[in-house]
Amino acid sequence: MLHVRSIWNGAISFGLVSIPIRLVNATESHSISFRQIHLDDGGRIRYRKFCELEDHEVTTGEIGKAYEAADGMLIPITDEDLASLPIPTAKTIEIVAFVPADRIDPLQMDTAYYLSVNGVPAAKPYVLLREALKRSQKVAIAKFALRGRERLGMLRVVDDVIAMHGLLWPDEIRAADEVAPDTSVTVRDKELDLADALMDTLGEVDLADLHDDYREAVERLIAAKASGEQAPAAPVGEEAGGKVLDLMAALEKSVRAAKESRGEDTGEATEVTPLPARKSARTEPKAVGGKKSTSTATKSGAKKTTKTATKTATKTTTKTATKATAKKAPAGTTAKSTAKSTAQAAGTKKSTAKKTTARKTAPRKRASA
């Protein structure tokens, strides 16, 4: 903490207790920044600050701040002017109340800071405030001035440090009425049950396990371009939008996918029927008389009718041909062969019948003897 540069020095006002502290940024950005270049030659584009009166470039040290009045007049304001304002929050974080943490709307939360003790004497009152916040399970609401304006703050304990979240003023939060969905939409209980099941299946996650995939992809892109290699391409997938999805089907598939990703048994898959996808005007069948075309059903029925008719015609033709051949066949070699085969078959049947009768009557003769 001591090696982090402080952005503000002051004190926490806790009743009659004053705690000297330093304000340190609690967050840092890991986003990748880009420079502007000239597309024709790759030259760097820079912003230079010029004085309109003297028409020459000025350095940062020569630049101050001013308020522009309605008539265009510029009124210079210095840092000393702001520091000497007759308000207690100019150099003090003034605690005004202690409230339960759930009273704070997350929409109000802004930048986060760590409050670090400024000097050894500040350690005792600092620890006192920290432990009091822990035991009360409340947060402190405070007012402080930073970068030319007074702000709200919320003090809470993070590990062994007092952290402060800047809060937006209530009138800085926009009303959500205009962006709320249509109130005529209704949700069925079964849909809610599936949504609950999906929430339970996804469960919780350790935020420390999550990482910035976009930043890593940009880093790989930069490394590939720097080494002259082919830039990684995005995976080819289905285009987003353009499909009408059944909400129930989407929820059921999501639950199954979540269970499979966790290695859980999904059981029997529920049969779902997604709504048909919207087709373009070129391929969609035209409506006739306000009804959809039934060409597909006609084709399917025609195929089934053709197959049935073919089978029936084949059987009928075979039987007819067989009878006709038997009647019209000349008394030649074919007829004799057929008669001979028939006589042989009849003789085989008679021989088999005699053997069966002999087997049945034999036991009776032995019994009579």
Side-chain angles (χ1 to χ4, degrees), residues 6-8 21-25 93 113-115 146 164:
S6 62
I7 60 173
W8 185 86
I21 55 96
R22 298 185 304 161
L23 198 66
V24 177
N25 278 324
I93 298 174
Y113 308 95
Y114 286 137
L115 304 182
L146 181 65
M164 181 174 69

Side-chain angles (χ1 to χ4, degrees), residues 85-104:
L85 289 174
I87 56 173
T89 57
K91 296 292 291 182
T92 303
I93 298 174
E94 182 183 8
I95 296 177
V96 296
F98 292 89
V99 300
D102 58 8
R103 287 268 303 276
I104 305 301

Side-chain angles (χ1 to χ4, degrees), residues 297-312:
T298 304
K299 290 181 181 178
S300 177
K303 289 182 179 179
K304 292 181 179 179
T305 305
T306 303
K307 289 182 179 179
T308 305
T310 303
K311 290 182 179 179
T312 305

